[in-house]
Amino acid sequence: MSRRARAEHPRGPGGDDSAADRVLTLPNLISFVRLLGVPLFLWLFLVVEADVAAIVVLAIGGTSDWVDGWIARRLGQVSRLGELLDPLADRLYILATLLAFTAREVVPWQFTAALLAREALLLGSLAVLRRHGYGPPPVHYVGKTATFLLLAAFPVLLVAAATTSVTATTAAAIGWGLAWWGLVLYWVAGAMYVVQAARLVRAGRRGVAA
């Protein structure tokens, strides 16, 4: 890891590098389990079309988004691997759910395209940072809020698609309210990451010039 990239990652509690480099921790285990939930959801939703089971997997994966981070801070088990696994699991849940929902027409393709465009923007920013020797920027609370809203919206939208009458109408209103707010904040967070990346690159160039 380069000097710049290392500077982007905090050490463990008390400045202990060994804590930050740990792999076998409870928070990391939770993140791994969340990752396994992505293919399970896709299989349940697209292959066997077990919508109720898919809703359960999606709800657990979404609502447990904050658990690994909370446990890591509570137990002093914050690690570099965990800082990568947590947002990775979030993005995989969002992308897998979007593609699956689009395939079964739960959400329109325009909504999916808007979220995918934001992911493309973020990937471009990460590529620029990597080229200049920086690691990924720390996750911002706006991005975490947007992720929470989207992961909360998806199971509700699936309930709306799988039911009828008043339940479907109510679930659709709640689900789309969460989804649109999540989309807006997702783009706000993306813009913040781009600005942060630009500042890091400019600061690096000034340091080289000096």
Side-chain angles (χ1 to χ4, degrees):
M1 181 180 292
S2 69
R3 179 170 56 85
R4 287 180 178 176
R6 186 179 298 275
E8 295 301 311
H9 296 281
R11 295 184 176 185
D16 184 6
D17 271 328
S18 63
D21 290 333
R22 292 176 63 184
V23 174
L24 298 178
T25 65
L26 180 57
N28 288 348
L29 176 61
I30 294 173
S31 295
F32 278 122
V33 172
R34 292 185 67 221
L35 286 173
L36 293 176
V38 174
L40 176 60
F41 162 74
L42 291 174
W43 179 74
L44 290 171
F45 189 66
L46 294 177
V47 180
V48 300
E49 295 190 2
D51 290 352
V52 175
I55 290 174
V56 172
V57 172
L58 192 58
I60 293 175
T63 55
S64 62
D65 170 42
W66 61 275
V67 173
D68 48 2
W70 182 84
I71 292 177
R73 292 187 296 270
R74 187 79 171 181
L75 300 181
Q77 294 182 348
V78 176
S79 66
R80 296 188 183 99
L81 178 62
E83 291 172 350
L84 296 176
L85 285 179
D86 185 35
L88 175 62
D90 293 341
R91 286 192 176 88
L92 286 179
Y93 264 103
I94 290 174
L95 293 177
T97 304
L98 279 174
L99 295 177
F101 277 18
T102 305
R104 286 188 51 183
E105 299 182 347
V106 177
V107 300
W109 67 266
Q110 294 92 338
F111 186 85
T112 302
L115 281 175
L116 291 179
R118 187 271 192 184
E119 288 299 313
L121 175 68
L122 188 59
L123 286 175
S125 300
L126 292 176
V128 171
L129 285 174
R130 182 66 63 184
R131 189 183 310 152
H132 288 82
Y134 291 102
V139 178
H140 197 276
Y141 76 91
V142 175
K144 292 297 290 183
T145 302
T147 299
F148 175 80
L149 290 174
L150 290 170
L151 293 177
F154 292 148
V156 181
L157 291 174
L158 186 51
V159 169
T163 56
T164 56
S165 69
V166 178
T167 302
T169 302
T170 303
I174 296 173
W176 280 113
L178 293 171
W180 284 114
W181 270 110
L183 176 62
V184 170
L185 289 180
Y186 214 51
W187 269 98
V188 170
M192 294 172 68
Y193 290 137
V194 170
V195 170
Q196 185 177 1
R199 288 174 177 171
L200 286 172
V201 171
R202 283 198 299 266
R205 286 175 176 172
R206 286 197 296 268
V208 172

